[in-house]
């Protein structure tokens, strides 16, 4: 079974084609500058040379048509024709409170994704464009939606409700949703597997997805009970360019003193804050750590704030779960940055967390980083959100096929 995975953004579209017989990736690529001058498709077959197509892509439909061309042409193709694609899995940001798992897309599902646009204004419209373009081009191929919010739908009310007048929840569904759900789900399940605790309702793990956007999840017995991102991916610890949580009164203070409106304030919180805002240097941790090694005080401060916020999050979630068995580091920073891992865990010895400095030098490879005597295991597990989407799509389509053949 071949599954095409689509991750559609407003002006970009990433894709991967999986062969699910062995979960291998046949090809992957990205369309950039959709709807703009100079649009380009970069296509990389796993067993071949990468190619670039500089062709106009006025919309997502044109982009997907070009993806099909790249996947099927002799020069760089990996399949003979589109009929060899059995299903399409779409990464969708926001499923509101309607989806706690992945679903087969029909008009009702599309409607919910559309209704959730106010909650995910940057992503849901693009996700829908990707879905509708695929439906037009391949109307008989099943399409599955995999939501970034789904894994967090198990969070109890006391953890997802903000202490605002309850009517705003009733009227607008203002609450914590959480994001990076496929990643937290993948690495928490893998941690349970590695530690032979799959299915154990008492297995308590904190997953730290540290990338351009960073979020934490408390997962007990495979069920997410809390997460650090909120209504939007702005809440939680400071990130590359996002502020993370701040005193809400700060907004009004800055807006009145700087004479800026809410749009500009939102832009500052999303794009000009976080470790970039504090350091004034970069949102990239490689740049920050180079500057730190050169003795740059502001880079040091930005890293300190990030690491300290992470430490507090781990402490809070250990308390929320009434104990802790494992911490997982994943995503760009979590997988590649020994300094952050070491610093974030440096005061957690009282919980039983102890990292082996030698093992902690590893980057991007599944590793148990724990030192002898640690009672809480610290694991590096590379995330694979794409594989989660491909597996969910396969499961849903297989069930569909079985149901159809039973009729
Ligand atoms: P992601 O959003 O998961 O792609 O992660 C992107 C982040 O990973 C960027 O902020 C990079 O700074 C960080 N990153 C990638 N490689 C490294 C590395 N070798 N050391 C430190 N940070 C890294």
């Amino acid at each position: 079974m071949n599954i095409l995975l689509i991750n559609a953004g407003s002006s970009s579209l990433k894709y991967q084609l999986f062969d699910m017989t062995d979960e291998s990736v046949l090809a992957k690529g990205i369309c950039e500058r959709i709807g703009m001058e100079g649009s380009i498709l970069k296509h990389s077959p796993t067993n071949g040379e990468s190619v670039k197509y500089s062709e106009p892509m006025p919309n997502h439909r044109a982009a997907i048509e070009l993806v099909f061309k790249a996947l099927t042409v002799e020069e760089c193709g990996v399949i003979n024709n589109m009929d060899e694609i059995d299903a399409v899995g779409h990464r969708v940001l926001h499923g509101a409170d309607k989806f706690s798992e992945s679903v087969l897309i029909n008009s009702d599902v599309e409607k919910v994704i559309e209704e959730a646009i106010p909650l995910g204004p940057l992503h849901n419209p693009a996700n829908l464009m990707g879905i509708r373009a695929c439906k037009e081009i391949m109307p008989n191929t099943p399409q599955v939606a995999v939501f970034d919010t789904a894994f967090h739908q198990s969070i109890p009310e006391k953890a997802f409700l903000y202490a605002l007048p309850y009517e705003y929840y009733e009227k607008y569904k203002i609450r914590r949703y959480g994001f990076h759900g496929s990643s937290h789900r993948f690495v928490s399940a893998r941690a349970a597997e590695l530690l032979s605790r799959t299915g154990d309702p008492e297995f308590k793990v904190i997953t730290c997805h540290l990338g351009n956007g960073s979020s934490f999840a408390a997962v007990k017995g495979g069920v997410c009970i809390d997460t650090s991102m909120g209504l939007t991916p702005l809440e939680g610890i400071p990130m590359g360019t996002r502020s993370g949580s701040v005193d809400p009164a700060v907004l009004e203070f800055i807006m009145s003193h700087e004479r800026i409106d809410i749009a500009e304030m939102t832009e500052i919180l999303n794009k000009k804050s976080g470790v970039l805002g504090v350091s004034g240097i970069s949102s990239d941790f490689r740049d920050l750590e180079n500057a730190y090694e050169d003795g740059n005080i502001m880079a040091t401060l930005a890293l300190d704030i990030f690491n300290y916020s992470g430490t507090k999050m781990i402490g809070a979630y250990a308390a929320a779960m009434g104990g802790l068995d494992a911490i997982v580091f994943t995503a760009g920073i979590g997988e590649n940055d020994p300094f952050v891992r070491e610093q974030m865990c440096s005061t957690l010895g009282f919980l039983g967390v102890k990292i082996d400095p030698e093992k902690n030098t590893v980057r991007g490879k599944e590793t148990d980083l724990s030192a002898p005597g640690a009672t809480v295991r610290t694991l590096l597990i590379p995330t694979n959100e794409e594989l989660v989407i491909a597996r969910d799509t396969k499961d849903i389509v297989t069930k569909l096929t079985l149901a159809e053949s039973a009729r």
Side-chain angles (χ1 to χ4, degrees):
M1 182 186 280
N2 291 332
I3 288 178
L4 179 65
L5 184 150
I6 299 279
N7 184 357
S10 53
S11 65
S12 71
L13 183 144
K14 291 187 200 145
Y15 63 93
Q16 287 195 18
L17 184 67
F18 280 86
D19 174 355
M20 294 308 285
T21 48
D22 58 358
E23 297 188 333
S24 61
V25 176
L26 299 174
K28 61 181 163 185
I30 180 166
C31 304
E32 289 172 315
R33 302 183 62 81
I34 299 170
M36 300 179 201
E37 288 279 306
S39 44
I40 184 165
L41 164 64
K42 298 173 189 159
H43 175 77
S44 306
T46 303
N47 296 317
E49 293 281 303
S50 296
V51 287
K52 286 184 186 169
Y53 290 103
S54 298
E55 286 186 26
M57 287 179 251
N59 50 41
H60 284 69
R61 182 183 168 131
I64 290 173
E65 277 171 348
L66 197 56
V67 170
F68 286 135
K69 177 174 151 187
L71 288 170
T72 52
V73 290
E74 203 170 313
E75 180 195 12
C76 58
V78 290
I79 51 174
N80 294 312
N81 56 58
M82 274 160 50
D83 293 342
E84 291 181 27
I85 296 173
D86 298 287
V88 184
H90 294 268
R91 180 174 184 178
V92 180
L93 180 84
H94 224 300
D97 56 359
K98 293 285 189 291
F99 298 110
S100 55
E101 49 190 41
S102 305
V103 286
L104 186 72
I105 298 174
N106 57 24
S107 52
D108 290 343
V109 172
E110 271 183 58
K111 198 161 158 251
V112 174
I113 299 172
E114 192 156 22
E115 282 167 1
I117 287 176
L119 300 172
L122 300 180
H123 296 83
N124 272 36
N127 301 153
L128 261 183
M129 281 193 273
I131 290 168
R132 288 179 173 156
C134 284
K135 260 179 63 179
E136 277 171 33
I137 301 169
M138 43 200 320
N140 299 319
T141 308
Q143 319 261 339
V144 168
V146 180
F147 299 94
D148 269 23
T149 47
F151 183 59
H152 304 304
Q153 277 297 302
S154 47
I155 291 174
E157 213 171 24
K158 66 181 177 189
F160 76 63
L161 263 191
Y162 296 118
L164 293 166
Y166 193 74
E167 63 180 284
Y168 298 128
Y169 171 57
E170 291 178 309
K171 273 203 255 182
Y172 308 118
K173 302 249 178 81
I174 290 180
R175 51 160 284 183
R176 176 183 311 285
Y177 288 98
F179 299 89
H180 298 137
S182 299
S183 176
H184 289 293
R185 184 176 134 206
F186 179 81
V187 299
S188 58
R190 182 68 188 141
E193 205 177 336
L194 287 171
L195 302 178
S196 303
R197 303 282 298 270
T198 303
D200 179 348
E202 284 307 312
F203 179 56
K204 304 178 186 83
V205 56
I206 296 171
T207 47
C208 315
H209 178 110
L210 309 178
N212 280 325
S214 292
S215 65
F216 290 67
V219 184
K220 189 175 175 190
V223 176
C224 183
I225 64 149
D226 207 347
T227 192
S228 59
M229 284 180 168
L231 176 77
T232 74
L234 189 52
E235 194 181 349
I237 73 160
M239 309 176 206
T241 62
R242 290 176 227 156
S243 63
S245 304
V246 294
D247 178 347
V250 166
L251 275 62
E252 199 257 326
F253 190 98
I254 295 177
M255 285 166 69
S256 59
H257 283 75
E258 294 280 318
R259 297 181 194 286
I260 58 174
D261 63 14
I262 191 70
E264 217 174 318
M265 189 69 241
T266 306
E267 168 98 356
I268 291 168
L269 293 171
N270 276 295
K271 307 255 173 79
K272 299 182 180 166
S273 300
V275 291
L276 169 69
V278 174
S279 69
I281 295 172
S282 173
S283 63
D284 193 307
F285 278 62
R286 287 164 287 201
D287 300 335
L288 288 175
E289 279 161 34
N290 286 336
Y292 159 77
E293 273 158 26
D294 291 343
N296 185 297
I297 293 170
M298 297 315 283
T300 309
L301 181 58
L303 289 166
D304 279 350
I305 293 172
F306 181 83
N307 293 329
Y308 178 63
S309 305
T311 305
K312 285 201 295 185
M313 199 60 81
I314 294 170
Y317 284 172
M321 291 191 287
L324 185 61
D325 296 306
I327 298 171
V328 177
F329 285 101
T330 195
I333 301 163
E335 291 168 29
N336 294 298
D337 197 326
F339 178 71
V340 165
R341 294 191 296 252
E342 185 269 314
Q343 289 287 304
M344 234 176 233
C345 293
S346 62
T347 56
L348 298 177
F350 75 100
L351 281 175
V353 179
K354 209 168 154 199
I355 292 187
D356 182 313
E358 191 57 40
K359 291 181 189 159
N360 191 36
T361 55
V362 73
R363 291 174 199 270
K365 195 166 145 268
E366 192 170 272
T367 310
D368 186 341
L369 308 170
S370 318
T375 52
V376 170
R377 307 284 280 274
T378 306
L379 308 172
L380 188 175
I381 302 180
T383 193
N384 196 339
E385 290 157 293
E386 293 78 15
L387 187 57
V388 172
I389 299 172
R391 284 179 180 168
D392 277 11
T393 304
K394 180 187 164 196
D395 289 350
I396 287 175
V397 171
T398 306
K399 278 188 205 135
L400 185 72
T401 316
L402 287 174
E404 273 169 5
S405 59
R407 262 194 228 139

